[in-house]
C-alpha cells in the first residue's frame, strides 16, 4: 500500500497548519497599514497584485467617468484597457519608458481635461526601471479633485511610499518585489472618498472576486469578525513573515539596501560600457536597473549566455517590444545587496566578452 503521509515531502511543513482566524487576518492588515503609514482601510486581496488593480479600476471607473491614465511602462497599457472596458473615457498620458512623468505634465493634462475624475499611475516600474515622483504628482491630482490610484507594487519597501500624505485614494501593493514575500497575495489601502465612489457606482463589481465593496460591507463594516471565504492561508502567512522581517530589519534599512543596490548596479553597468536605459539617475527605480543592449547584440541571447554561466544571476531581458534592446538587473528583496548586483554584473560581463 502507498503511504498517505506527506511527511517525507520537503514542503510537508506547509500542510496541516492550524486555521488562520479572522483575528489573525485583521492583525496582518494592521501590519500592512503600519508599513504604509496609513489610517485608511487596508484590505488584503488574495491573489497577485493585478487582482486589486483590476478591482480598483472596475469599482471606481464607470460610463461617464474620464480617466487620466499615465503610461510610463507596460502596466499603464493594461490599466487603459480595463478603464475603457469599464466604460470610462480615457486620456492616455504617454511618457517615454526611459524617463519619469513630471507633476507639470500631469497638472497640464488635468487642466486640459477638467472632466477627469480618476487618475491611474504606476510608482516604480520594475519592468523598465524608472520611477515617478508621486508626492508632487499627488499635489497636482489633489487640486483637481480626481480619485488617485497608485500601483506601488514595485515601490513598497524599496522607496518612500506615503499614500495618506500624498493623497493616494487607492494604493495597491504586492508582496513579491522589495518586500521579498509571496506573489500570490496583495493589498490595497482605500480612502473614504474611494469607498464612496465605488458605493455610488452601480456598475462596480459585487458578489465577485473583483469586488472591494464586498470586503467593505461584509468584512470591514462587520468589524472584521468574519472572513468572506477561507483565507489563502499559506500566502497570508508568508505575507506576515515578510512583514515581520521588514519590521526587524527596519523599513529605512530595507529601503537603503535597495537604494544602494540600484546605485551599485548603475555604476557597474557604466563600468561595463553599457548605457543605462533610464537616462537620469534620479528617475531610476530602486528595484531594477535597465540598460540598453550594445549595438548588434540581442538582449535575450546575452541573458541566456549569462544565465548559462550562472543560473543564479538576477538578470533578465526586457519584455514585449523591449525584448531585444533591454537588459535588466533585478535587485529587490533578497537580491537587494551589493553581492547579488556584483554577481549579476559579472555574469553579464562574461557574456559580453564571449
Ligand atoms: C511586478 C509588478 C506588478 C505585478 O505584476 P507581475 O506581472 O506579477 O510581475 C504590478 N505592477 C508593477 C508596477 C510591478 O512591478
Amino acid at each position: 500500500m502507498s503511504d498517505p503521509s506527506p511527511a517525507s515531502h520537503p514542503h510537508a511543513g506547509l500542510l496541516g497548519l492550524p486555521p488562520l482566524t479572522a483575528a489573525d487576518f485583521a492583525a496582518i492588515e494592521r501590519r500592512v497599514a503600519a508599513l504604509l503609514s496609513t489610517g485608511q482601510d487596508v484590505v488584503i486581496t488574495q491573489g497577485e497584485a493585478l487582482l486589486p488593480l483590476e478591482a480598483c479600476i472596475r469599482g471606481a471607473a464607470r460610463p461617464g467617468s474620464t480617466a487620466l491614465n499615465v503610461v510610463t511602462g507596460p502596466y499603464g497599457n493594461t490599466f487603459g484597457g480595463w478603464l475603457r472596458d469599464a466604460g470610462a473615457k480615457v486620456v492616455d498620458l504617454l511618457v517615454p519608458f526611459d524617463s519619469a512623468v513630471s507633476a507639470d505634465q500631469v497638472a497640464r493634462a488635468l487642466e486640459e481635461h477638467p472632466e477627469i475624475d480618476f487618475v491611474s499611475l504606476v510608482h516604480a516600474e520594475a519592468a523598465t526601471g524608472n520611477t515617478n515622483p508621486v508626492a508632487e504628482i499627488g499635489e497636482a491630482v489633489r487640486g483637481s479633485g480626481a480619485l488617485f490610484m497608485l500601483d506601488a507594487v514595485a515601490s513598497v519597501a524599496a522607496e518612500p511610499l506615503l499614500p495618506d500624505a500624498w493623497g493616494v485614494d487607492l494604493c495597491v501593493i504586492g508582496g513579491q518585489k522589495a518586500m521579498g514575500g509571496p506573489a500570490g497575495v496583495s493589498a490595497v489601502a482605500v480612502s473614504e472618498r474611494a469607498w464612496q465612489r465605488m458605493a455610488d457606482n452601480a456598475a462596480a463589481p459585487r458578489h465577485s472576486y473583483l469586488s472591494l465593496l464586498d470586503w467593505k460591507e461584509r468584512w470591514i463594516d462587520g468589524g472584521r469578525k468574519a472572513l468572506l471565504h477561507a483565507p489563502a492561508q499559506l500566502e497570508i502567512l508568508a505575507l506576515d513573515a515578510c512583514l515581520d522581517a521588514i519590521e526587524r530589519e527596519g523599513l529605512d534599512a530595507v529601503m537603503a539596501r535597495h537604494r544602494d543596490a540600484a546605485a551599485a548596479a548603475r555604476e557597474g553597468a557604466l563600468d561595463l560600457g553599457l548605457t543605462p536605459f533610464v537616462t537620469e539617475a534620479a528617475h531610476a527605480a530602486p528595484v531594477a536597473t535597465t540598460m540598453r543592449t550594445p549595438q548588434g547584440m540581442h538582449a535575450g541571447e546575452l541573458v541566456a549566455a549569462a544565465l548559462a554561466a550562472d543560473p543564479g544571476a538576477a538578470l533578465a531581458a526586457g519584455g514585449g517590444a523591449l525584448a531585444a534592446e533591454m537588459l535588466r538587473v533585478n535587485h529587490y528583496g533578497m537580491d537587494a545587496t551589493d553581492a547579488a548586483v556584483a554577481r549579476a554584473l559579472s555574469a553579464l560581463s562574461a557574456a559580453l566578452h564571449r
Side-chain angles (χ1 to χ4, degrees):
M1 238 178 83
S2 62
D3 177 10
S5 149
S8 61
H9 190 279
H11 300 307
L14 299 176
L15 305 176
L17 298 169
L20 191 82
T21 66
D24 297 331
F25 198 94
I28 299 167
E29 285 182 335
R30 285 196 297 277
R31 225 169 184 174
V32 172
L35 179 74
L36 301 179
S37 306
T38 183
Q40 299 176 353
D41 289 328
V42 166
V43 183
I44 290 178
T45 41
Q46 303 185 76
E48 198 275 339
L50 291 167
L51 169 68
L53 287 165
E54 182 173 355
C56 286
I57 287 178
R58 295 196 186 277
R62 57 171 184 249
S65 303
T66 302
L68 175 65
N69 182 41
V70 184
V71 182
T72 56
Y75 291 97
N77 291 321
T78 302
F79 301 165
W82 288 333
L83 286 162
R84 288 180 176 86
D85 197 51
K89 189 180 153 230
V90 181
V91 177
D92 283 311
L93 174 51
L94 305 175
V95 180
F97 293 179
D98 58 4
S99 60
V101 69
S102 72
D104 276 352
Q105 284 174 290
V106 172
R108 230 173 299 134
L110 291 167
E111 272 166 34
E112 279 168 27
H113 303 275
E115 70 279 18
I116 287 169
D117 57 11
F118 183 92
V119 175
S120 48
L121 175 73
V122 174
H123 190 182
E125 298 271 9
T128 42
N130 42 344
T131 188
N132 293 304
V134 182
E136 295 154 42
I137 293 167
E139 253 172 66
V141 175
R142 196 173 349 212
S144 79
L147 212 64
F148 187 17
M149 180 188 95
L150 185 68
D151 173 350
V153 176
S155 61
V156 63
E159 59 185 303
L161 173 61
L162 298 166
D164 293 10
W166 298 347
V168 177
D169 293 291
L170 293 158
C171 183
V172 172
I173 65 160
Q176 73 264 44
K177 299 272 169 64
M179 291 177 73
V185 67
S186 46
V188 55
V190 186
S191 73
E192 232 8 270
R193 265 159 38 98
W195 283 132
Q196 196 56 53
R197 176 79 65 96
M198 289 188 265
D200 292 345
N201 180 7
R206 284 172 184 272
H207 309 291
S208 158
Y209 218 65
L210 282 172
S211 176
L212 294 174
L213 285 172
D214 286 358
W215 285 87
K216 166 73 171 148
E217 290 165 6
R218 294 162 59 193
W219 168 244
I220 298 175
D221 292 349
R224 290 185 163 90
K225 296 280 192 296
L227 290 162
L228 273 55
H229 47 72
Q233 185 184 26
L234 298 180
E235 280 77 13
I236 306 281
L237 289 175
L239 174 65
D240 195 40
C242 81
L243 288 161
D244 189 71
I246 293 167
E247 282 172 28
R248 280 165 198 272
E249 184 178 353
L251 179 59
D252 286 343
V254 176
M255 291 193 291
R257 193 154 52 70
H258 284 82
R259 195 171 56 235
D260 293 349
R266 193 172 175 95
E267 198 181 299
L270 289 167
D271 288 347
L272 289 179
L274 295 168
T275 307
F277 183 81
V278 177
T279 322
E280 286 182 46
H283 297 161
V287 281
T289 297
T290 46
M291 293 145 276
R292 292 190 183 277
T293 313
Q295 279 281 316
M297 298 192 195
H298 188 285
E301 289 165 14
L302 263 179
V303 169
L307 292 179
D310 181 359
L315 270 179
L322 298 165
E325 60 183 281
M326 180 190 281
L327 296 162
R328 186 172 79 228
V329 175
N330 289 325
H331 35 73
Y332 51 76
M334 308 276 193
D335 286 332
T337 62
D338 283 352
V341 168
R343 181 174 176 181
L345 289 171
S346 115
L348 185 57
S349 170
L352 280 167
H353 292 108
R354 188 84 39 80

